[in-house]
Amino acid sequence: MTADKPMVRIAVVGAHLSGMPLNVQLTEREAVLVREAETAPDYEFFALPGTVPPKPGLLRVDAGKGARIALELWDMPMVHYGSFVSLVPAPLSIGTLKLNDGSAVQGFLCEHKATEGALNISHLGGWRAYLASRPTA
């Protein structure tokens, strides 16, 4: 954060990652990649059916009862944050994520109902690993 441009740190876990289809929603809002990180082991990760482009859902569970999920941290000027959040479709939302280093940031979460019947991909540890594990046509 700078005095002239307050920033908000955002964690992305799926279609907004670098090189993914929705990453432009970050870059067109002057967001800058800070680093890769992982969630605390308090989340389950799902491939949500019927989403275009394909998207994952991150669901918080009891502390230590989930997996660490790979993510990217981006700094976005606060002035653009509202327009970014307004693009997030249900069943996704923006909330507070706990990171493996003990810090907390804003990031993508998913409604529990949307994970019913969805493929649990937590064991893969991230969206890129899930995409790489799928058979190619």
Side-chain angles (χ1 to χ4, degrees), residues 11-91:
V12 299
V13 295
H16 287 89
L17 292 166
S18 299
M20 297 286 171
L22 298 181
N23 184 255
V24 67
Q25 292 179 351
L26 293 169
T27 58
E28 70 187 8
R29 287 170 176 77
E30 303 176 48
V32 177
L33 178 63
V34 176
R35 65 182 171 91
E36 294 179 354
E38 290 182 324
T39 65
D42 304 348
Y43 297 87
E44 288 187 342
F45 200 48
F46 297 86
L48 300 178
T51 56
V52 178
K55 296 178 188 81
L58 189 65
L59 184 67
R60 189 156 179 192
V61 296
D62 291 335
K65 301 289 186 183
R68 293 180 185 159
I69 304 301
L71 54 81
E72 289 178 350
L73 297 174
W74 289 75
D75 280 349
M76 178 182 291
M78 185 66 77
V79 68
H80 298 305
Y81 185 62
S83 70
F84 177 71
V85 171
S86 74
L87 297 173
V88 179

Side-chain angles (χ1 to χ4, degrees), residues 117-133:
L119 179 63
N120 188 324
I121 58 172
S122 303
H123 64 284
L124 296 171
W127 191 240
R128 290 186 197 283
Y130 165 69
L131 293 177
S133 75

